[in-house]
Structures are given as structure tokens and as C-alpha cells.
Amino acid sequence: MSLTAVCSFDIDSEGRHCGYIRIGDSTNSSGWAYHSLPITSVKNGAGVRLLILGGNHGDEYEGQIAALDLARRLQVEDVRGQIIIIPVLSLAASASGTRLWPDGTNFNRVFPGKVDGTIAEKLAFYLSHDLFPTCDVVVDMHSGGRSMYFIPTSNMGWIKNLPLRDVMARHMLSWKSQYHMIGGDQPSTNPDSLLPGDVVRQGKAVSTGEFGGSGWATAESLEVIRVGLENFMRGIGVYIVGKESVLSDFGKIIDSRDPLSFVTAPAEGIYENTVDLYDHVTAGDIVGRIHNFKQAGGEVIEVRARRSGIIAVIRGYPPVTIGDVVCYIGALYNDFYSFQAQAASEVVKQ
Ligand SMILES: [Zn+2]
């Protein structure tokens, strides 16, 4: 048991419990305080232990709403095994509508955390050292936040651990969303510093998703995430109430592993999307325009696709600076098996 944080109830005990993860804090308003993060656990005998996380990034509300909903209604008789839910990891960021914590921390870049670090680092340490090792599966729900809007998808990274990759592919498909997305590593980023990367580093399965964005939640995105999460929980045998709610038995795959998938802003200005989600483009097509708002009579700059494929992400709000991602284009496959055949042929060529 780490010294960084404690759960206000015995997390191994049977039944339904709502309480807090408490982390020692010292603030202007209280010298001896606890950062108190709501957590719910519902346990019913032996079985899979699932950890569900929302609000890794503060302005991604779809996962927070789905997790809050589930935490409110989940009863002991609904569960075989245990479901632990932390609906809003980045509390202050969620309250202020920002991706990052008020001190500038990106919670999804501080893993495996620090025992004597900031509150964010201590929380990451607690998750990494106390919770992840005791769980069979972790769910980490994201969206595009304020700056991006994604086609709602369950996702996975195309990791090198082959047996774990197979498990995670099965999990991704079990959400039964119409589209699933497979990504690679983000440039210049240590993958192990991300929450999902830390789970994978420990040899555990993590299921993620990008369920919309723009800093708000729609009926469409919430339908995908709510129904999808139930499908997923039933698929791993931990949720035993009701029938499987099918969104799609044959989800399409968006392959975004190629770094050329990213389109970035070449200049500062006001960005205009000239394509919509689900549109198909070829390399060289215009996907957006940047309006210079600081120079009288300034030119409009056209932004072009660097590859062909489906528009999986558009800009969520218009102000941009050089290097901001404004669009994301993936290769589209009709099903996972066509994608897998393509991925296998890449391995043969190497
Ligand atoms: Zn996120």
C-alpha cells in the first residue's frame, strides 16, 4: 500500500461503496487538507476486476457523464466480480472546462507518478502502484476535448506485446461502435508516461476510446459511449444485467498509425474546417483554411491533406497557432480482419 493516497473504504470488501480517494494536500484555504476524489466500488464475489476511468482530461465530458451515470445506478446484483469507477480523474480541470490541471499538468503525461510529487503525480502513483496491478482490465475514456472533434470510436494502440494486443483488439471490438480507431505513438512522447501506456507496461489490458469532443457532449456521442460501455462490460463477463445492446456487429476500422495522418496548422489564425467527419479525401485535398486576423488584408492559408483516407478528427474550436493539430486522416477498412491482413503484410515486408 502506497503512502501517497488512501481509499476512504476497504476497496477489497464486498457490496456497494461510495467514498473518496484521499491525498494529503496543503492549500491557501486549508493548511491540512485532503484532495478528495470520488470513487465507487461494486463487488459481488469472484470474477474480473474492472477499473473504469473518466475525466483523464478535464474538458472531455462524454466519459465523465457515462461513468457518473454508471456509478449512480450500478447495484451489487448487476455485477459478477468487481467494478471500480473513478468518474472524474481531473476534478479541477473538469470544473474549469480545461484539458490541463490549473497548474498546467497534463494528467495523461505524468505516469507512473511520484510518491512525493504534486497531487496529480501522487494520484498517478496511487493508480499505477495500488490499483492497476490489482485489476484485470482498465477502461480510460477520452474525447477530443475543446480543441478536437472525433468520430466516436473505441480505440487501441497497436502495441508490440502480441498476446496482449489480441486481447485488447477483442475488447475494442466488443464496444460494438460503428467505427474503431487504431493509433500509433504520438510524436516526441514517451508512451509509458500516458495512463494507457502505463497499464500496458504492466502487462494489463486497457480499453480506450475517443467519443466526440469540442468540450461538449451530444446525444450521438453519449449513445455510443453508454451502450458501448455496457456491451464491453458484458463482453468481459463483469456486468450481468440485461441483454447486449447492439450498435454494430461489423465496426469499420480507422487506421491512424501513419504519422502523415496528423495535419497541423502552418500558421496562427482562425481555422475553418472545409471538410466534415466521415468525408473521404485524397492527398493534397484542402481540408481547412486559416484566416489571418492580425494583419489588415492578410492572405488566407489553405491547409491540405498529407495522405488519402477518412476524416476522423476535425478542429473543435477555431483559434490555432503553429503546430496545432487541425485534422486527422486515417485509412478505412471495412472490418478488423481486412485491417489485420494489411498489418500482417507490413510485418512480412519488414
Ligand atoms: Zn483525452
Side-chain angles (χ1 to χ4, degrees):
M1 178 63 67
S2 77
L3 297 173
T4 55
V6 289
C7 185
S8 63
F9 55 84
D10 177 3
I11 204 161
D12 297 319
S13 58
E14 294 280 329
R16 178 184 160 88
H17 307 276
C18 298
Y20 296 94
I21 297 170
R22 307 178 84 196
I23 303 171
D25 200 0
S26 186
T27 67
N28 282 331
S29 55
S30 178
W32 294 346
Y34 285 107
H35 181 80
S36 301
L37 189 64
I39 179 172
T40 295
S41 170
V42 181
K43 184 174 182 190
N44 187 7
V48 168
R49 189 184 226 193
L50 168 66
L51 175 63
I52 296 176
L53 303 171
N56 184 334
H57 290 126
D59 62 353
E60 302 173 4
Y61 294 102
E62 298 85 345
Q64 299 175 46
I65 294 169
L68 286 164
D69 235 7
L70 184 66
R72 195 179 306 114
R73 68 181 167 77
L74 197 63
Q75 298 299 320
V76 173
E77 59 269 23
D78 302 337
V79 174
R80 183 190 299 131
Q82 186 175 11
I83 299 176
I84 301 168
I85 306 165
I86 306 173
V88 184
L89 284 168
S90 296
L91 272 184
S94 173
S96 60
T98 56
R99 177 179 183 82
L100 308 183
W101 287 40
D103 67 358
T105 297
N106 181 343
F107 189 63
N108 208 26
R109 297 292 185 278
V110 296
F111 282 82
K114 279 187 195 162
V115 69
D116 57 354
T118 62
I119 297 295
E121 289 167 335
K122 286 180 179 176
L123 176 58
F125 188 91
Y126 174 74
L127 292 172
S128 182
H129 291 78
D130 288 59
L131 281 188
F132 296 165
T134 69
C135 292
D136 300 294
V137 190
V138 176
V139 167
D140 180 30
M141 297 180 286
H142 290 254
S143 75
R146 224 167 24 135
S147 66
M148 296 187 282
Y149 201 96
F150 280 75
I151 294 176
T153 51
S154 68
N155 295 2
M156 67 178 289
W158 202 236
I159 59 172
K160 293 191 176 71
N161 178 335
L162 297 183
L164 188 58
R165 182 201 281 176
D166 286 346
V167 170
M168 284 169 48
R170 271 205 313 278
H171 288 172
M172 175 184 72
L173 297 172
S174 72
W175 286 71
K176 295 183 178 290
S177 46
Q178 264 192 306
Y179 292 83
H180 311 283
M181 191 151 68
I182 296 175
D185 291 337
Q186 193 177 354
S188 312
T189 304
N190 171 10
D192 292 349
S193 69
L194 278 68
L195 188 158
D198 190 68
V199 179
V200 165
R201 181 183 62 77
Q202 300 189 33
K204 303 276 181 171
V206 61
S207 198
T208 64
E210 299 284 359
F211 297 98
S214 285
W216 50 302
T218 65
E220 181 205 7
S221 60
L222 283 177
E223 169 82 359
V224 173
I225 196 167
R226 279 187 173 131
V227 176
L229 182 59
E230 287 198 359
N231 286 339
F232 169 79
M233 293 189 299
R234 284 196 194 94
I236 62 171
V238 72
Y239 186 66
I240 54 174
V241 68
K243 285 187 191 159
E244 191 166 279
S245 317
V246 174
L247 288 170
S248 170
D249 268 329
F250 305 99
K252 292 179 166 45
I253 301 295
I254 300 171
D255 175 9
S256 303
R257 293 171 300 153
D258 188 337
L260 292 177
S261 299
F262 292 92
V263 181
T264 55
E268 182 187 18
I270 295 175
Y271 187 81
E272 169 195 357
N273 292 302
T274 59
V275 290
D276 282 322
L277 292 178
Y278 307 100
D279 282 353
H280 293 261
V281 295
T282 53
D285 282 355
I286 297 169
V287 296
R289 307 196 303 162
I290 298 176
H291 300 265
N292 185 333
F293 61 108
K294 290 189 174 172
Q295 184 185 7
E299 296 286 308
V300 166
I301 296 172
E302 291 173 340
V303 180
R304 295 177 184 271
R306 301 196 296 157
R307 60 167 297 173
S308 303
I310 183 171
I311 302 290
V313 178
I314 56 174
R315 184 73 185 166
Y317 81 132
V320 292
T321 191
I322 297 173
D324 285 351
V325 169
V326 291
C327 183
Y328 201 58
I329 301 163
L332 184 64
Y333 294 87
N334 276 336
D335 53 51
F336 181 71
Y337 304 102
S338 332
F339 164 78
Q340 213 174 21
Q342 167 62 26
S345 75
E346 291 164 11
V347 172
V348 170
K349 278 184 208 156
Q350 280 172 1

